[in-house]
Every structure is written in structure tokens, then in C-alpha cells.
Amino acid sequence: MTNLEIARVFRQVAELLELQGEDHFRVEAYRRVANNIETTSENLLYFHDRDALRRIPGVGEGIAAKIDELIETGRLRYLEELQAQVPPGLPQLLEIPGLGPKKVRALWEQLGITNIDELEAAAKAQKIRHLPGMGAKTEQNILKGIERFRAHQERMRLGDALPYAEQLMEALRQAAGAALERIEIAGSARRRLETVGDLDFVATAADPERVMEAFVHLPQVSEVRLHGPTRSTITTTAGFNVDLRIVPAESFGSLLQHSTGSKAHNIRLRELAQRRGVSISEYGITDADSGDRLLAAADECEVYAFLDLPCIPPELREDRGEFEAAANGTLPHLLELEQIRGDLHAHTSYSDGACSVAEMGDAAQALGYQYLALTDHSPSLDVAHGLSVERLLQRAEEIDDYNAGQKRFRLLNGTETDIRADGSLDYPEEILEQLDVVVASVHTRFGMKREEMTDRIVKALDSGHVDVLGHPTGRLINRRDPYEVDLGRVLEAAKRADAAVEINAFPDRLDLRDVDARAAKELGVRLAIGSDAHHTQHLPLLRYGVYTARRAWLEPDDVLNTRSADELLRLLGKQ
Ligand SMILES: [Zn+2]
Ligand SMILES: [Zn+2]
């Protein structure tokens, strides 16, 4: 059992309890644990580090016992009991935006609706509007919601898919032993696309049949869809389809290139090849007339070299100008994770984080950072225990004490101040001026009209006190669309104010997304990458922000936190 699977079980428990009208706090407790287990999945490699799981916030004795049961038996009797009490398709209805547990129960009890297809039929037949508290508008929203749900359903966030793929590869390495030689993730996960459908692995093997045997017998397998000597496909218990292909070492590069995609990129590549009278496939490059094999490509860069192109990094393979840049010799020198010197967005237990000032500092040092900005929430964000001025000053003292003991590291005294509905910031100017890093973000009133929301954010930037505009569009991948905003005007305002815009690296967010971050760069706006960690174990999630930055063509100079602490503070006008 991986952490992802355990998290999924607890999320199911929460949903089922919710549908049965269980106490809100009890439901939320399960959900919080699921979130915490899921977001730590990449640090607690892998399958079951039981002690580490027990240390996760929210894991009390009852849940710890359930984790033990899951790890030992792969099942949870409690979940099975709950499942027996509601129709199997019912929990899924909760994923339709706007449908809470009360409404779903009403739909079930009064209209006998037990799954999404029945829900759709009832909405179309205008049966739902007669239920108390619902109307014609509800029906429209349900139909829209079903459409969105279906569009998203097949794809998982990169933050779930990538650690899962890495764990699965490791499991296969263990199971196959020396029979497996080389294995790589291909497909959209390799391109670090923000969501991933199926997982694709490409491998070479001393004994392909043994590797395939090990693959289809991994404990994560729930269904074997295809089992052959060179290709097998499984569905895992976490709901992923995983494809494994094994090729001879001499054509590994061709298959890796082919399987990495994107489709649009590969179409362009084949066109370029055609113009030279050759044809490119997953097996290599052949003469278009004679069909003779010209190249097998052990390394995928050989494919590009054959067309006189430099090797194009996977994150750029979207047919968004990478071929032109490759031909002109202007491919970017993409940002690398190792070039990040610090993190500009993190929370402590002063607001809604789980760890202390010192714990966050120590964890950031362990990652090799020179600095970490502590950016707790501001007063008006009650739900996140926003800091009064008094508590902000108290935290500042604690930060000073911590820094006094450091030589090569410092905690930066920051805030994630709310951008209020009227565009004002949530602390007085004289307080903001004392802070090292002011991240400003929208956390409320997401439903504002486009112009109003744009004015709100522009006004905040025009104040001159914002260093970083936090998660600039407010989206949550697969869960919440970005708010309506004129990003062009926002970026212009950021440029005017010499403020950076954030790539929030938290896997739910990845906000700005790649194309918008690239637009920011092209406008001359600097980017800041922040993990938005609420726990020490979230700090490594910053890597997802680096992936987005790479997909946005960003080079180290485009990113604020590749600077040393001194340079950073100078750039922010604090020294
Ligand atoms: Zn925030
Ligand atoms: Zn935050």
C-alpha cells in the first residue's frame, strides 16, 4: 500500500460518513488526515514507513490502527461496512461541483438517484427542480458540473502521479532484480504536465519476460489488461493505467522519444524528417524510399541530432516554438532545482501551518537552502489563524533568535497578506515596510466580476508594498477554476511595481501555470517559486514549481529565489 492509496481509503471513509449525515468534525478529521498523508507521499518512501505515517498530523490512535490494518491486510473492514450502506455510485456525486452531502442524500432518498448517469438523466428531465432548495438553476449547474467532472476524471495531478510512478518503478526494480536494466518514465509525466492520464514506462531488460512477469504481479496491480513479452498494461489499485514497454538497448532512445510526446511535438518532428526524406518511428529512423534502417538511437538525443537539432528538453516538447528555438540555437538554459537557493512561501504554526519556526528553519537547511521566508497569514484570514500585528512581532523575535545562531542560513520575516476585497492589504504600511518579504494573495470573494477582481489585484500591486503576488489565479487543479481576472493587466501592474509573480508549487495549485508564467517572463516580470509549505514535509514540493518553471521556458535569472539572500533583499529593496 502506498500513501496515496491509504489517503484514498480515508477520503472514501470521509465521503461515506458525510453521505450518512455523520458529524462534520468527524468527517473533516478523516479528510485532513487523507490530505496530510497524500501530500507527504513523496517523503515517506515507500509502501509503508509505519512510524512516519503515525507522525503525520491528525493521525491519532484510531486512525493509526486503521493504517496498520491497511498495511497488513490491504483492506479496511470499517470502509467495507460503510460501503455496504450506500449505493456504490453515490459517493462520486459529491465530486460534482455544488453538490454537497445534503443534496446528494436528498437526490438519493427522494428521486432514487444512485449514480452520475441517473443524475444527468434526472437533470435533463427537469425532475430535480421540484426538490426543496433546488431549482432550474441547480439543474443547469449540475449538468455543467457533470461535464467538467467527466473532462477531469481521467487525469491525476502531477503531484500524485509522479511520486506514484517513482514508487512503482522502485517496486519493479526490487521485484525484477538484475533482469531489469534501465527504466524511465515517459509520456506526460516525463514532460511534467500538470495533470497526467496514463503512466508510461520504457525499459531495457536482460530478461524481458521475467521483468514482465514481475510487473504484472506487483502488489499494486488490480487488473492485468495486457501481458506480453515486450508490452504489458496494468490497472493499479490507485486507479492508474500503467503501460510498460521493453525494447533492445540499441533502440531505447527512439522509443523513449516517441513515448514522451507530446503528440503535437512528434508530428512536427516527423514533418521535419519527411523533408529530409527519412521517416521517424518508435523503432528508429528509416529511409523513406528504401525503408532501410538508418538509425536505431540508443539515446533519444541521437534522434534530434540526426535532424541537426540540439536535444530538446522533455518539458519543452509541446510544439510551442521549441523547434524554431532549437534551429536558431536559442533554446533556453532551463532552471534546475539545484539552482534554487531558498523558498519564498511557507507557513508556521503561528497561522495554519503544522510546524514551529525552528522546525521549518531546520528543514529548509536540510534541503541545502540559504533562506526560507516565513509567510504566515494576515489578520482577516480568521480560518487560517491570521496573525495580529502583536503576534507578527512575537514571531519576528523568534525568527531573530533563530537567525542569531546561524552562519549560512536565515529565516526571512515575511507575510502572506490578504488582498482584501477592496484591494487594500491587511497590515498597516509601517508594518509591511518592516518585513523582508511581502507575499500578497487573494483568499476570499473568488466570485468577483473580472474587472472588479483585476482592479482589486492591480490596486494591491500599485501600493508598492507587494514583493510577490501569491498564487495569482486562485485555481485548484481539478477542483476550482481560476477566478475571472485579466492576467495581462495584472502582469503589467506587477512589472510597474517591480513585483514578482508566484509560481505556487503546491501540487494542488501550480499557479501560475506554465503558459502564463511564460507570458510573465516575456513581459519582463520576474517569477518567484514558493512551496506554500504548511508542514516541514511540504518543503520538497517546491520541485513541482521548478517543473512548471521549466515548462514556462524559465532560466535561472528569471526566478527571484535563485539569488543569494543578500542579492534577494537588495532586489526587494530591503537593504
Ligand atoms: Zn495563500
Ligand atoms: Zn500560503
Side-chain angles (χ1 to χ4, degrees), residues 410 412-415 429 431-439 464-468 498 560 565-575:
R410 64 190 284 183
L412 300 176
N413 184 22
T415 179
E429 288 199 349
I431 295 295
L432 293 172
E433 277 164 8
Q434 291 171 33
L435 294 167
D436 296 326
V437 179
V438 175
V439 177
H465 291 295
V466 176
D467 298 314
V468 177
D498 199 19
L560 200 52
D566 287 342
E567 280 173 69
L568 172 79
L569 291 170
R570 202 163 42 242
L571 275 173
L572 297 179
K574 306 293 158 98
Q575 269 184 355

Side-chain angles (χ1 to χ4, degrees), residues 345 347 377 381 416 439 441-443 470-471 502 504 509 532 534:
H345 190 156
H347 299 267
H377 290 290
L381 212 60
E416 179 178 12
V439 177
S441 314
V442 168
H443 292 111
H471 43 76
E502 184 177 61
N504 189 297
R509 293 190 181 271
D532 207 350
H534 285 66

Side-chain angles (χ1 to χ4, degrees), residues 25-39:
F25 290 102
R26 199 150 160 246
V27 172
E28 277 313 302
Y30 276 104
R31 197 157 276 149
R32 206 169 318 120
V33 165
N35 284 340
N36 290 340
I37 291 177
E38 189 180 74
T39 44

Side-chain angles (χ1 to χ4, degrees), residues 315-334:
E315 293 93 333
L316 300 187
R317 297 182 197 168
E318 300 291 344
D319 192 20
R320 291 180 183 155
E322 69 273 19
F323 285 107
E324 291 74 6
N328 299 334
T330 55
L331 278 177
H333 296 283
L334 294 180

